[in-house]
Amino acid sequence: MEHPADGIIRLRVAVRGAVQGVGFRPFIFRLATGLGLKGWVRNSSQGAVVEVEGPGETVRDFLLRIDLEKPPRCFIQGLEPAYLDPAGYGDFAILPSDASGGKTAVVLPDIAVCADCLREILDPADRRYRYPFTNCTNCGPRFSIVESLPYDRANTAMKGFAMCCRCQAEYDDPLDRRFHAQPNACPECGPHLELWDRRGNVLARRERALMDAAGALRGGAILAVKGIGGFHLMADARNGESVRELRLRKRREEKPLAVMFPSLDSAKSVCEVSPLEERLLRSPEAPIVLLRRKKTVTGSAAGDADAVEIADAAAPGNPCLGVMLPYAPVHCLLLGELGFPVVATSGNLSDETICVDEREALVRLGGIADLFLAHDRPIARPVDDSVVRVVLDRELVLRRARGYAPLPVSMRGPLPPLIALGGHLKNTIAVSAGSQAFVSQHIGDLESAQGYDTFKSAAANFPKLFGYDTLWMSGNGNGEGRRAGRAEGDGGGISPLVVACDAHPDYVSTRFASEIVKTGPGANGVSLVTVQHHHAHALSCMAENDLAGPALATVWDGSGYGLDGTVWGGEFLSVFDGGFRRVGRLRTFRLPGGEKAVREPRRAALGLLYEIYGDAVFSMTDVPSVRDFSPGELGLLKTMLRNKVNSPATSSAGRLFDAVSSLLDVRHRSGFEGQAAMELEYALGDVRADGRYAFAISEQDGLLSADWSPMIEEILGDVRNGEPLSGISRRFHNALAETVVAVVRRAGEPRVVLSGGCFQNKYLTERTVLRLREEGFRPYWHQRIPPNDGGISLGQAVAVGARPGGV
């Protein structure tokens, strides 16, 4: 029926979306009681369920107002109303949560401190004055403290803190901002700060700990600060000696360090901040935003006498700075006391996962930090700072963690129960829940033992949050493992039907997948699906743009296991429902030394030149890349290239960037992934020009090949003629964008997807999109899912869903 008659009726509404931890139940309570309706609301494992009864017109008004007036951090994916016979309710109540059924409720990310809480923290008359764990239904920890659904205090890391009478009264008061705020606490009953030395001795507590920590930073010390999702390592960003010492101890020689500014105005004194970048800095997500530094005059930003001088060691040679504002109360108090910016980098050794436990921090960070500002609120999982930059007037997430994870991506149809284990670098994990894919926070690189341990922990614990159990992993091949699919009589836990992973057989995530999925007689019923790396890249971008095939995907990155046994990375893929076809690629060249060439762009350059000139390259001593090798090294490399020994062929766009960076004498050895390509982007400067280098497109056996050799010959000529670096870099970038257009034109597909780590490059992405639009194509690029390997797990999940039968 269209709607019930206007007598007394009962309405039940199942609400799906981000409705837990955002004040949704208190909102429903106030809305219903304000309209004089009776009934109840409660959290469920799928979201929330509401029942109201009253006059038909009033009940219908209630239903319409839910979506119109919902809390600011709430988003609703579905409202499922059902009209029922009246039950005779006498009042309206918030009922205990219902933990039964499949867990599809959206877990909210951690939210930056709101204006109301900040005002209380700074008000001497407020009982939470200078309390560093102040929060409410509109802000505070969520994902970093939740241990299971539904989102109730007993299921969070706050379960060990019993609320005092006043906090309990706030929690129980429907008119209070902290009505059913699960992390609610105050100085009387909540967590507290302590300042420790390297041996864990308590030097100060509470306010004194904060003040002494600020004093230590002023004096040049390195401070480990436990925040919402883990530890930061902090140092005075103005103090070059302190920042250099932090780099030395952390073993992070050149990679840029993020800077936390005490205010937006102080950030604006150093960096150019657009309106969109300002909104991102001040948003509830509060990510690190890559900003362009202002040009400096005698050490300070041009035209700003009050500009803060940031030590060059924070981001050496980098025209951009990773900037964030204080987002947790402890940061607000600490930076407010200091009044100057601090370097705030992840609390770990280089390439490890962020540290979350204070006792573990003494071991892992004891050789880095002089002091530890710790607290006793447990952290359920490591959640690093997110990193974004603005590209084409949109946010482009480069590292998806705090503030963004684990919000879901909606699929075009239901997925089978699955766990996708991602790639080897910038790892994330994805799980399915109906027509949604939940992507984990940034886990990191899996090259270290510590990184692998964190990955294994996440592979077990992240799926549990959404109702999966992992007993199926313990199957021994003799029929004793858990049957895949929903288990009977175990509280609704499910095991995946599919575990998806990268097709590269040597990725540790792939080996892990192979180990846990038992095959053959007596198998536990879980299927292993391998997904080609660049296909996953393409599908992740298509998924977040709600795009179905067919589409032509340009996927450019450092490397990925190719179906032909070579190293792919400069790919043009025709993506369609159920699969893909390789339409084209960049011309291949060899990488002498294999993995060593990833760390030494000069090796990529030598392999590139060898592809064009053969043995003659070894006498081209006027070329910077060749000149950087000793005669003995060149002799060994000649043998390797001639005999194709440890010199895999690659079509990688990332290695092409590396090679050109070395040819231009910009970077011969990289201190971190992508450094050579980043510096080539930074070399663009501010001059705008449309000139480009030449390239050629050929076709063999139905495969298009984009030949860069004419471009390389022109680049070498410009280097010999002393052309400015900025002009060479710009013509190189323009040539790459034009290469995409040329291949797309030959392929004839109007919709073009851009993915892979190379499209973190702002200029390359913007130029490519501009040229595609000018030629009448419809380009799509990443926004909230990273174009780098942080999006691989989502693409793997989509690939499983696209298979016949979904499995």
Side-chain angles (χ1 to χ4, degrees):
M1 57 184 172
E2 302 246 339
H3 59 76
D6 284 336
I8 299 298
I9 63 169
R10 177 164 57 113
L11 169 70
R12 175 183 294 162
V13 186
V15 188
R16 294 181 292 103
V19 294
Q20 298 186 16
V22 293
F24 182 75
R25 288 177 298 171
F27 155 70
I28 289 293
F29 182 96
R30 291 189 289 268
L31 179 60
T33 54
L35 291 171
L37 299 174
K38 315 299 184 184
W40 51 263
V41 59
R42 69 183 176 197
N43 279 342
S44 73
S45 294
Q46 298 79 44
V49 180
V50 183
E51 282 200 12
V52 293
E53 65 179 29
E57 185 177 349
T58 306
V59 168
R60 289 192 295 275
D61 183 41
F62 169 85
L63 179 61
L64 292 174
R65 289 174 63 177
I66 291 176
D67 195 42
L68 293 173
E69 301 176 16
K70 64 185 182 294
R73 296 304 297 160
C74 167
F75 73 84
I76 293 174
Q77 295 175 313
L79 287 170
E80 300 174 13
Y83 291 99
L84 309 168
D85 291 336
Y89 295 126
D91 58 9
F92 194 91
I94 295 180
L95 299 184
S97 298
D98 177 10
S100 64
K103 297 183 179 180
T104 59
V106 174
V107 179
L108 206 70
D110 301 307
I111 308 168
V113 61
C114 69
D116 289 330
C117 284
L118 187 58
R119 193 160 40 246
E120 291 172 343
I121 294 167
L122 301 178
D123 180 3
D126 194 279
R127 73 186 189 94
R128 289 186 173 85
Y129 177 56
R130 297 186 66 80
Y131 181 57
F133 303 96
T134 302
N135 66 85
C136 69
T137 54
N138 298 319
C139 71
R142 298 293 189 272
F143 181 51
S144 63
I145 63 169
V146 67
E147 296 170 346
S148 64
L149 293 176
Y151 178 67
D152 292 321
R153 193 180 184 97
N155 295 329
T156 75
M158 285 294 294
K159 61 181 178 291
F161 297 92
M163 283 183 281
C164 66
C165 293
R166 286 193 287 180
C167 284
Q168 188 69 52
E170 293 170 333
Y171 184 90
D172 294 334
D173 182 358
L175 300 180
D176 195 283
R177 198 174 83 251
R178 294 187 170 89
F179 183 43
H180 280 247
Q182 304 306 332
N184 190 27
C186 75
E188 183 180 337
C189 64
H192 287 288
L193 294 176
E194 290 184 342
L195 186 66
W196 295 359
D197 66 15
R198 286 177 168 177
R199 290 183 292 183
N201 296 314
V202 178
L203 305 179
R205 291 183 170 88
R206 303 194 180 215
E207 177 69 7
R208 186 74 261 161
L210 185 83
M211 299 298 287
D212 288 355
L217 283 170
R218 283 194 202 93
I222 296 170
L223 182 69
V225 179
K226 186 180 180 183
I228 289 180
F231 275 84
H232 281 112
L233 291 165
M234 292 187 176
D236 183 348
R238 309 166 303 172
N239 187 329
E241 184 178 347
S242 293
V243 177
R244 285 189 292 273
E245 182 63 22
L246 173 57
R247 284 193 174 279
L248 180 66
R249 296 181 191 179
K250 187 177 163 74
R251 303 175 197 167
R252 185 166 172 167
E253 296 179 6
E254 297 176 293
K255 193 173 183 178
L257 301 171
V259 177
M260 182 180 286
F261 284 81
S263 67
L264 180 62
D265 286 342
S266 63
K268 285 182 173 181
S269 74
V270 175
C271 298
E272 299 170 359
V273 184
S274 71
L276 177 53
E277 289 165 340
E278 177 175 336
R279 185 187 69 76
L280 288 169
L281 287 169
R282 301 176 67 172
S283 70
E285 293 83 0
I288 297 169
V289 183
L290 298 188
L291 301 177
R292 191 88 178 175
R293 294 203 222 192
K294 291 182 177 178
K295 291 195 178 352
T296 59
V297 179
T298 63
S300 62
D304 192 342
D306 297 323
V308 178
E309 187 172 350
I310 302 297
D312 290 339
N318 195 323
C320 296
L321 198 63
V323 172
M324 59 178 157
L325 298 180
Y327 58 83
V330 66
H331 301 145
C332 298
L333 293 169
L334 185 60
L335 272 290
E337 184 64 29
L338 292 172
F340 57 77
V342 295
V343 163
T345 186
S346 301
N348 54 14
L349 282 172
S350 188
D351 298 327
E352 288 187 354
T353 307
I354 187 172
C355 189
V356 299
D357 179 79
E358 51 271 23
R359 292 295 168 184
E360 180 189 17
L362 292 175
V363 177
R364 289 179 53 197
L365 308 181
I368 305 176
D370 298 307
L371 295 170
F372 295 78
L373 186 60
H375 61 74
D376 55 347
R377 182 175 69 199
I379 297 173
R381 60 187 54 79
V383 186
D384 218 325
D385 295 316
S386 294
V387 181
V388 308
R389 75 185 308 182
V390 172
V391 175
L392 291 158
D393 296 320
R394 298 181 188 175
E395 65 180 314
L396 174 66
V397 174
L398 304 180
R399 183 169 74 193
R400 186 177 184 269
R402 179 186 49 76
Y404 295 86
L407 290 177
V409 178
S410 295
M411 300 289 101
R412 298 180 68 85
L415 298 175
L418 67 88
I419 299 174
L421 295 175
H424 186 67
L425 301 177
K426 299 178 175 64
N427 179 267
T428 60
I429 290 169
V431 299
S432 64
S435 295
Q436 298 183 119
F438 292 86
V439 182
S440 77
Q441 79 280 22
H442 167 85
I443 296 168
D445 298 348
L446 308 186
E447 296 181 318
S448 68
Q450 194 275 331
Y452 182 46
D453 287 343
T454 302
F455 162 76
K456 289 189 292 183
S457 176
N461 294 323
F462 184 70
K464 285 182 181 178
L465 199 56
F466 300 95
Y468 288 80
D469 68 47
T470 49
L471 292 177
W472 59 274
M473 290 184 182
S474 62
N476 59 13
N478 296 318
E480 297 177 11
R482 174 67 61 85
R483 176 178 57 83
R486 185 167 298 282
E488 301 297 332
D490 65 354
I494 58 172
S495 294
L497 293 173
V498 178
V499 171
C501 62
D502 196 274
H504 197 306
D506 293 329
Y507 279 2
V508 295
S509 55
T510 302
R511 293 201 300 267
F512 177 78
S514 299
E515 290 167 4
I516 63 174
V517 176
K518 306 297 188 285
T519 57
N524 57 20
V526 181
S527 300
L528 178 66
V529 174
T530 60
V531 181
Q532 200 281 325
H533 189 83
H534 301 95
H535 185 209
H537 267 304
L539 291 176
S540 71
C541 185
M542 292 171 68
E544 77 157 321
N545 282 283
D546 193 27
L547 183 66
L552 194 285
T554 301
V555 185
W556 286 1
D557 64 358
S559 67
Y561 188 76
L563 299 182
D564 58 359
T566 64
V567 180
W568 289 10
E571 307 310 307
F572 300 93
L573 308 179
S574 174
V575 182
F576 45 85
D577 289 345
F580 76 98
R581 180 174 65 87
R582 195 186 193 195
V583 172
R585 55 157 172 78
L586 298 180
R587 179 181 174 180
T588 61
F589 61 99
R590 294 196 172 272
L591 297 174
E595 282 298 314
K596 207 166 185 180
V598 176
R599 298 186 295 274
E600 297 183 22
R602 60 181 188 157
R603 289 175 178 259
L606 200 69
L608 194 81
L609 295 174
Y610 188 83
E611 184 70 20
I612 302 173
Y613 301 109
D615 284 354
V617 68
F618 298 102
S619 59
M620 297 170 63
T621 53
D622 62 326
V623 176
S625 308
V626 180
R627 194 168 56 242
D628 197 68
F629 290 103
S630 68
E633 288 174 321
L634 285 175
L636 179 61
L637 292 167
K638 179 190 286 188
T639 301
M640 292 171 67
L641 286 166
R642 273 182 173 176
N643 298 318
K644 302 178 181 178
V645 175
N646 193 22
S647 301
T650 185
S651 58
S652 169
R655 300 291 81 82
L656 178 60
F657 267 93
D658 286 354
V660 172
S661 181
S662 177
L663 292 176
L664 298 180
D665 209 16
V666 171
R667 173 66 52 178
H668 299 301
R669 297 168 184 81
S670 291
F672 58 90
E673 184 200 10
Q675 184 179 16
M678 284 171 54
E679 292 179 349
L680 197 57
E681 178 187 0
Y682 299 151
L684 286 163
D686 297 325
V687 178
R688 298 285 171 177
D690 290 330
R692 65 170 177 83
Y693 291 118
F695 60 90
I697 305 293
S698 60
E699 184 175 354
Q700 184 175 3
D701 299 327
L703 183 67
L704 298 173
S705 178
D707 186 359
W708 33 256
S709 61
M711 173 175 65
I712 298 302
E713 291 176 339
E714 290 183 354
I715 287 175
L716 292 176
D718 280 350
V719 170
R720 292 180 178 117
N721 292 332
E723 290 293 323
L725 176 61
S726 60
I728 297 176
S729 178
R730 191 163 299 276
R731 287 189 287 277
F732 167 70
H733 280 82
N734 290 350
L736 292 180
E738 210 62 36
T739 299
V740 174
V741 173
V743 172
V744 169
R745 189 184 295 120
R746 291 279 291 267
E749 172 56 53
R751 300 187 300 176
V752 184
V753 172
L754 305 177
S755 189
C758 290
F759 289 104
Q760 297 175 109
N761 183 313
K762 177 181 172 74
Y763 182 83
L764 177 65
T765 302
E766 292 183 339
R767 177 74 183 188
T768 304
V769 168
L770 171 68
R771 288 293 299 120
L772 286 169
R773 284 175 170 170
E774 288 177 345
E775 296 297 319
F777 298 101
R778 296 200 303 278
Y780 300 85
W781 62 98
H782 286 269
Q783 299 174 69
R784 287 204 159 199
I785 295 295
N788 56 47
D789 284 7
I792 289 293
S793 64
L794 174 62
Q796 291 169 349
V798 178
V800 170
R803 289 163 60 89
V807 179

